[in-house]
Amino acid sequence: TSAARSLMMLCICLSPPPNDLTVAHTMAQELLKVMGTDELDAVEVSSVYPIINASSRSGVVSFLLHNADAALVDIEWLISKIKLQPQAKLSEMQSEQHNTWNGDASRVKLEGALHSRVQQLVLVLSTFAQMSLTGASAEQFL
């Protein structure tokens, strides 16, 4: 289980945002296949990530939920930074319609990054919502 965690951490950490959450989402989808659902029978080993299997699934759940929690902390930090950014005054924007105001451009970039992170995090967590989690995994998810 620790080898699975280490390998997954390496995969996710080497992927720059927002691709890190895209990788986490793919891993969560494969985990869902290994855990099974009401409609689908569980598979023994993931065909995409063989490290995700019946024996490693509890560790994988824990790791991916911890990763999602870390992404949520990043999102909260980014929201606080956006709130601190000064808003462009309407008169400034009207007088400089053809010039980009650096503060506004920076804010738009931050908001775009925030939107992308939130969107990817929702995809990861929605996959967990489809799982029949029990015990500590269910507590961690909630």
Side-chain angles (χ1 to χ4, degrees):
T1 303
S2 65
R5 272 186 173 189
S6 298
L7 190 56
M8 291 176 68
M9 183 173 16
L10 185 61
C11 261
I12 290 174
C13 290
L14 290 177
S15 302
N19 295 338
D20 58 340
L21 289 176
T22 303
V23 171
H25 179 237
T26 305
M27 289 178 174
Q29 288 176 318
E30 290 301 308
L31 178 63
L32 180 62
K33 292 176 187 174
V34 169
M35 294 187 75
T37 64
D38 293 337
E39 296 86 31
L40 297 171
D41 292 333
V43 298
E44 190 67 28
V45 178
S46 164
S47 59
V48 177
Y49 296 104
I51 197 82
I52 300 174
N53 55 54
S55 64
S56 68
R57 68 183 184 188
S58 63
V60 172
V61 167
S62 177
F63 170 75
L64 289 175
L65 287 175
H66 176 74
N67 187 60
D69 188 48
L72 189 57
V73 169
D74 290 346
I75 288 168
E76 289 173 348
W77 177 84
L78 191 53
I79 289 171
S80 71
K81 293 301 175 193
I82 288 173
K83 285 182 179 180
L84 292 175
Q85 286 266 323
Q87 296 246 0
K89 294 180 184 173
L90 185 59
S91 60
E92 287 179 55
M93 291 177 71
Q94 288 173 340
S95 65
E96 301 177 15
Q97 287 179 354
H98 300 291
N99 296 331
T100 303
W101 185 62
N102 288 338
D104 191 44
S106 174
R107 184 180 180 97
V108 168
K109 285 180 184 178
L110 283 174
E111 288 173 355
L114 174 65
H115 180 266
S116 179
R117 294 294 284 170
V118 170
Q119 187 176 29
Q120 289 299 319
L121 183 59
V122 166
L123 291 174
V124 171
L125 294 176
S126 69
T127 305
F128 278 97
Q130 297 173 36
M131 295 178 194
S132 298
L133 298 174
T134 59
S137 298
E139 293 253 342
Q140 188 179 7
F141 178 63
L142 295 176

